[in-house]
């Protein structure tokens, strides 16, 4: 059972714990529709059966082994064109916590939590409700593999697999929400440059010659930055820079 969080400013003062659900993001949308949600509401589930991932993928997780939850936010102070800053603020919070356990942990663009040479341990799916006036709600879905030891995908791993230890999910949930809140509060205080520079500092493969693939085929280049819209900027071997959206590029490293 996950309790209301005492050490945060506003996140997790209202925690909905579900032993089983399809997707915590979908449950969050249901609560919003029923007008039972407000900024900081969290939905956490022990056994998520139809979890959703980026790019229309599914997010598979074994019962009671991992963290799968959604945070409801109302970033009404931001223009929707700046939404990648929310992504960076959340990613920074997650990465900063897991770096305490695994110093090599990095964010792989846009928001995978990965450990180079081991694999992906977590991901974020942010789904939004916009109105004519701008942002209404952001549902920040976070999935982190903690104690699970077996995975179908060879690219997936967990904190336990890498460290050889098992972890208390409730304690990690509390710490993780605290870190995500810190990132979000920076956003609220307008510390945009700080958020971006932290994100870029720990971005996987930044400034490293790497292999990618796009619609035209494989190519080498190095990640040089992120555009205002959150697209990936890659400097090619000929010195030119190209910009890629989420579905336009695959990492081959
Ligand atoms: C990714 O593809 O990397 C994003 C994965 C996001 C998974 C989380 S688990 C909690 C929340 N509910 C969902 O259905 N998805 C997100």
């Amino acid at each position: 059972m996950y309790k209301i969080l005492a050490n945060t400013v506003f996140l997790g003062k209202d925690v909905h714990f579900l032993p089983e659900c399809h997707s915590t993001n979908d449950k969050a949308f249901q609560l919003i529709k029923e007008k039972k949600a407000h900024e900081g509401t969290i939905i956490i589930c022990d056994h998520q059966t139809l979890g959703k991932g980026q790019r229309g993928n599914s997010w598979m997780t074994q019962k009671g082994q991992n963290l799968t939850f959604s945070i409801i936010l109302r970033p009404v102070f931001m223009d929707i064109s700046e939404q990648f800053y929310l992504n960076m603020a959340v990613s920074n919070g997650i990465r900063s916590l897991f770096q305490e356990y695994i110093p090599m942990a990095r964010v792989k663009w846009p928001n995978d939590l990965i450990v180079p040479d081991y694999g992906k341990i977590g991901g974020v799916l942010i789904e939004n409700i916009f109105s004519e006036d701008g942002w209404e709600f952001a549902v920040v879905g976070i999935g982190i593999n903690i104690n699970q030891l077996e995975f179908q995908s060879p690219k997936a791993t967990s904190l336990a697999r890498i460290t050889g230890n098992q972890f208390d999910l409730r304690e990690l949930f509390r710490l993780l929400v605290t870190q995500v809140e810190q990132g979000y509060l920076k956003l609220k205080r307008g510390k945009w440059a700080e958020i971006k520079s932290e994100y870029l500092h720990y971005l996987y493969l930044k400034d490293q010659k790497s292999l990618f693939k796009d619609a035209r085929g494989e190519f080498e280049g190095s990640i040089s930055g992120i555009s205002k819209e959150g697209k990936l900027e890659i400097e090619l071997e000929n010195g030119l820079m190209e910009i890629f959206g989420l579905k336009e590029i695959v990492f081959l490293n």
Side-chain angles (χ1 to χ4, degrees):
M1 183 62 85
Y2 293 84
K3 296 204 186 94
I4 287 170
L5 301 176
N7 57 326
T8 50
V9 181
F10 68 98
L11 290 193
K13 300 299 175 194
D14 173 30
V15 177
H16 296 244
F17 168 72
L18 305 166
E20 188 173 308
C21 75
H22 286 167
S23 153
T24 56
N25 271 29
D26 289 352
K27 187 70 193 172
F29 280 111
Q30 186 191 326
L31 290 179
I32 291 169
K33 209 170 147 198
E34 293 168 354
K35 302 206 182 312
K36 289 181 185 158
H38 46 258
E39 180 152 81
T41 297
I42 296 183
I43 300 94
I44 180 157
C45 177
D46 241 0
H47 188 206
Q48 185 174 253
T49 52
L50 285 174
K52 302 184 292 184
Q54 293 267 358
R55 303 179 177 93
N57 291 325
S58 53
W59 185 258
M60 317 265 270
T61 169
Q62 281 174 3
K63 181 179 175 178
Q65 300 293 305
N66 304 311
L67 286 174
T68 49
F69 63 99
S70 301
I71 303 173
I72 297 176
L73 296 174
R74 304 207 67 200
V76 289
F77 54 93
M78 289 169 67
D79 192 89
I80 59 175
S81 66
E82 298 155 335
Q83 54 185 286
F84 197 71
Y85 278 87
L86 174 61
N87 179 87
M88 290 193 283
V90 169
S91 302
N92 288 348
I94 298 173
R95 191 260 318 134
S96 71
L97 174 65
F98 287 99
Q99 244 177 2
E100 290 179 25
Y101 302 88
I102 313 168
M104 316 84 86
R106 293 286 179 273
V107 173
K108 180 178 171 187
W109 177 85
N111 47 24
D112 287 355
L113 179 66
I114 72 140
V115 180
D117 301 328
Y118 288 88
K120 172 168 170 171
I121 65 173
V124 180
L125 176 67
I126 303 180
E127 299 183 285
N128 301 300
I129 300 179
F130 299 129
S131 73
E132 280 174 8
D133 300 330
W135 225 322
E136 283 284 321
F137 287 96
V139 172
V140 179
I142 300 176
I144 313 283
N145 300 328
I146 307 290
N147 290 325
Q148 185 170 330
L149 295 174
E150 307 279 327
F151 293 91
Q152 279 177 9
S153 162
K155 290 182 183 162
T157 189
S158 67
L159 191 57
R161 248 173 85 140
I162 298 173
T163 61
N165 299 320
Q166 289 281 301
F167 294 84
D168 179 348
L169 292 180
R170 282 154 201 80
E171 175 65 0
L172 277 182
F173 170 66
R174 190 181 66 77
L175 294 170
L176 185 51
V177 173
T178 308
Q179 288 303 314
V180 171
E181 184 177 75
Q182 290 304 313
Y184 187 61
L185 287 174
K186 269 190 199 163
L187 201 59
K188 275 196 153 178
R189 291 182 191 127
K191 297 189 173 174
W192 303 67
E194 197 182 305
I195 290 169
K196 186 168 182 181
S197 114
E198 185 181 337
Y199 179 85
L200 289 177
H201 186 75
Y202 293 105
L203 188 64
Y204 175 60
L205 293 180
K206 167 97 170 38
D207 297 326
Q208 288 175 44
K209 198 169 158 187
S210 318
L211 197 58
F212 302 93
K213 194 170 113 183
D214 72 356
R216 295 161 295 184
E218 292 184 11
F219 66 94
E220 273 192 334
S222 60
I223 297 172
S224 53
I226 301 290
S227 74
K228 188 171 175 285
E229 300 76 30
K231 293 189 174 184
L232 192 65
E233 296 173 346
I234 296 187
E235 190 177 321
L236 305 176
E237 291 208 294
N238 58 12
L240 294 176
M241 207 246 293
E242 280 205 32
I243 298 185
F244 299 87
L246 190 57
K247 291 184 178 159
E248 295 165 358
I249 188 161
V250 176
F251 285 60
L252 297 178
N253 282 78

